[in-house]
Amino acid sequence: MERKTEQPRRRPRADYLRNRERLLTAAAEVFRTHGGQATLEGVAKAAGVGIGTLYRHFPTREALFEAVYRREINEMVALAERLEGEADPVAALRQWVHANIRLIATKQGMLTALALAVDKSSEIYTYSYTSLTGAIARLLARAKEAGRMREDVTPEDLLLTLIGMCLVRTGPGFEDDVTRLADLFLDGLTKGQGDSGGM
């Protein structure tokens, strides 16, 4: 029996990739400003494309939200990689935590997405949990190697505590409140050189 030659997978066209990026950027802004009231029609309009184009990329609102969330996660991973070059490993870890809180504070709906990171029944659980704990692990390892962090603290400890803080604090002053709590928590884990976030 003659074997069929496997055809090489075609790369996405440039206009396809451009439209996808425009949709993700627009969706992030629409979700931020409208939260749970955001509509796919509103996202398509903000991106300057037709609703049919949006549905070709993201057939459901959930699929679009997940794609936006994945991009946010990737940004946090990239930030951790950049911060590995910082001279002070504890300051680098603190900066990453602050950036994460700032991201959540400025994007309505991201709290719900963040909760998915600890919801093992969600499809995005493995991706988000692995990515975020991996990002924390890179920075935490440097702090431990420098003798600046308790040896028994784990990336999972930090992530779950951060998520808990974000979920229990809502309303005006959210970012300042959670940042203060996160600093108190980190101060309790660090040792040496008097490191403090200092609001």
Side-chain angles (χ1 to χ4, degrees):
M1 187 174 177
E2 188 176 331
R3 273 185 163 182
K4 290 184 178 180
T5 303
E6 186 175 328
Q7 296 296 322
R9 183 176 295 180
R10 296 176 59 185
R11 292 184 178 180
R13 296 189 319 182
D15 58 342
Y16 177 92
L17 296 176
R18 276 196 303 271
N19 284 339
R20 179 181 174 83
E21 187 60 27
R22 287 168 65 183
L23 284 164
L24 288 174
T25 299
E29 178 62 22
V30 171
F31 287 149
R32 182 185 72 80
T33 55
H34 298 288
Q37 304 302 314
T39 65
L40 294 183
E41 289 77 9
V43 171
K45 183 177 180 181
V49 302
I51 190 66
T53 298
L54 184 149
Y55 278 119
R56 280 194 292 276
H57 289 269
F58 310 104
T60 65
R61 188 176 186 277
E62 290 71 25
L64 176 58
F65 188 86
E66 180 175 321
V68 171
Y69 180 53
R70 282 177 180 270
R71 191 169 75 160
E72 306 290 4
I73 292 295
N74 292 339
E75 289 178 1
M76 294 309 302
V77 171
L79 175 60
E81 293 173 352
R82 293 195 299 273
L83 288 173
E84 279 191 287
E86 292 290 315
D88 186 332
V90 174
L93 178 60
R94 192 184 300 274
Q95 188 175 334
W96 187 90
V97 169
H98 287 184
N100 210 333
I101 295 169
R102 193 158 51 247
L103 174 69
I104 296 164
T106 58
K107 294 187 181 297
Q108 293 182 30
M110 286 304 293
L111 277 177
T112 301
L114 188 62
L116 294 177
V118 289
D119 177 9
K120 294 184 180 181
S121 66
S122 69
E123 293 182 3
I124 200 173
Y125 165 78
T126 300
Y127 181 81
S128 58
Y129 191 80
T130 302
S131 298
L132 289 174
T133 53
I136 295 172
R138 302 170 76 108
L139 300 174
L140 188 59
R142 289 189 63 235
K144 288 183 178 181
E145 288 169 5
R148 302 282 308 286
M149 181 68 60
R150 284 178 49 156
E151 287 295 331
D152 58 345
V153 66
T154 69
E156 291 78 11
D157 292 334
L158 287 178
L159 178 61
L160 294 177
T161 301
L162 177 60
I163 290 172
M165 290 176 182
C166 291
L167 290 176
V168 299
R169 304 294 283 188
T170 58
F174 167 87
E175 183 176 349
D176 288 342
D177 288 346
V178 177
T179 299
R180 176 177 173 277
L181 289 174
D183 279 337
L184 288 172
F185 178 67
L186 287 173
D187 288 344
L189 298 177
T190 58
K191 51 187 180 181
Q193 299 187 30
D195 183 85
S196 176
M199 287 292 295

